[in-house]
Amino acid sequence: GAVVSQHPSRVICKSGTSVKIECRSLDFQATTMFWYRQFPKQSLMLMATSNEGSKATYEQGVEKDKFLINHASLTLSTLTVTSAHPEDSSFYICSASSSWGTEAFFGQGTRLTVV
Amino acid sequence: AQSVTQPDIHITVSEGASLELRCNYSYGATPYLFWYVQSPGQGLQLLLKYFSGDTLVQGIKGFEAEFKRSQSSFNLRKPSVHWSDAAEYFCAVAPYNNNDMRFGAGTRLTVKP
């Protein structure tokens, strides 16, 4: 199956700083990428959908200025958590799909801890 | 709007016993349906998926799921669980164009020795 690599797998940052998470499709062109957030013992909540070369579409309640999403190429999307606060600590997961595909493939996830 | 319901938050079964995890969806048309498994602190692993055709779908690790249109259900089954099956299981739906995948709340499976 197609491979999606997410980096880093774990990151700890100080309050007020920004952190960038990368999501790469290694063996296919990802025309669409999705970013999810998962709180402990809860389900995945879709944060935003990004299409290559376009602005991301954010779900209701997700602050676009806080969670910056860039999808500048067909193999890379980034999520930047700006001015992070402890309440932003969570597990972030990306997925990617191609224009011809019928499913999205998930990255391994990133555990963000803001201290 | 589409939604996914997993009625059971936590299920405990004995090793070797059979398992059924329930999933119901609400959607205007038949969506794509998925079951994922997640071990603690890990990403998602796809167990199986249904797009069309045979309503009984075979997946990895001995899992299967049956799509029942009349009941809007896509229940996951395994005839004999193993201790390594203990994990969180998520049912998910996506429209035909694969955007906007929605997940159920998840069912945590505990396996007793």
Side-chain angles (χ1 to χ4, degrees):
Chain A
V3 179
V4 175
S5 176
Q6 195 172 333
H7 178 80
S9 58
R10 292 178 178 272
V11 60
I12 301 173
C13 71
K14 292 184 177 181
S15 288
T17 62
S18 296
V19 61
K20 180 183 288 187
I21 302 169
E22 293 186 347
C23 181
R24 293 181 183 273
S25 58
L26 298 186
D27 52 3
F28 69 100
Q29 294 187 326
T31 53
T32 306
M33 287 190 170
F34 308 87
W35 287 95
Y36 296 84
R37 182 175 183 175
Q38 184 181 31
F39 290 103
K41 300 187 186 301
Q42 295 188 28
S43 188
L44 286 76
M45 301 300 296
L46 181 66
M47 299 173 66
T49 303
S50 71
N51 291 298
E52 185 266 337
S54 302
K55 288 185 178 181
T57 302
Y58 290 80
E59 295 297 303
Q60 191 172 12
V62 178
E63 300 175 61
K64 62 179 66 176
D65 293 332
K66 179 162 190 63
F67 299 99
L68 300 179
I69 292 173
N70 183 281
H71 190 171
S73 80
L74 284 171
T75 58
L76 174 65
S77 176
T78 60
L79 168 67
T80 301
V81 183
T82 62
S83 187
H85 289 104
E87 56 266 31
D88 298 325
S89 299
S90 191
F91 194 58
Y92 293 88
I93 304 178
C94 72
S95 69
S97 67
S98 64
S99 59
W100 48 263
T102 51
E103 68 176 281
F105 300 93
F106 284 82
Q108 310 96 310
T110 297
R111 171 76 58 195
L112 170 63
T113 303
V114 184
V115 298
Chain B
Q2 61 192 58
S3 65
V4 186
T5 303
Q6 291 180 247
D8 305 305
I9 296 174
H10 184 203
I11 285 182
T12 300
V13 299
S14 297
E15 189 168 18
S18 63
L19 171 71
E20 181 169 31
L21 302 182
R22 296 183 291 165
C23 174
N24 292 94
Y25 67 91
S26 173
Y27 193 65
T30 300
Y32 293 165
L33 298 159
F34 307 83
W35 273 100
Y36 290 90
V37 61
Q38 184 182 36
S39 296
Q42 303 296 312
L44 299 176
Q45 181 178 27
L46 178 67
L47 288 175
L48 47 80
K49 59 193 177 190
Y50 173 78
F51 292 156
S52 65
D54 192 345
T55 57
L56 184 62
V57 181
Q58 301 298 319
I60 63 171
K61 303 184 178 184
F63 286 93
E64 67 176 26
E66 185 172 12
F67 168 61
K68 293 185 176 179
R69 184 191 306 275
S70 61
Q71 299 177 19
S72 296
S73 69
F74 189 57
N75 295 347
L76 181 71
R77 300 194 295 250
K78 186 169 184 176
S80 177
V81 297
H82 187 263
W83 64 265
S84 60
D85 293 326
E88 188 85 19
Y89 290 80
F90 293 99
C91 179
V93 301
Y96 73 95
N97 61 1
N98 200 33
N99 285 328
D100 202 14
M101 179 179 278
R102 301 289 173 166
F103 286 81
T107 297
R108 183 161 59 93
L109 174 65
T110 298
V111 180
K112 294 190 302 184

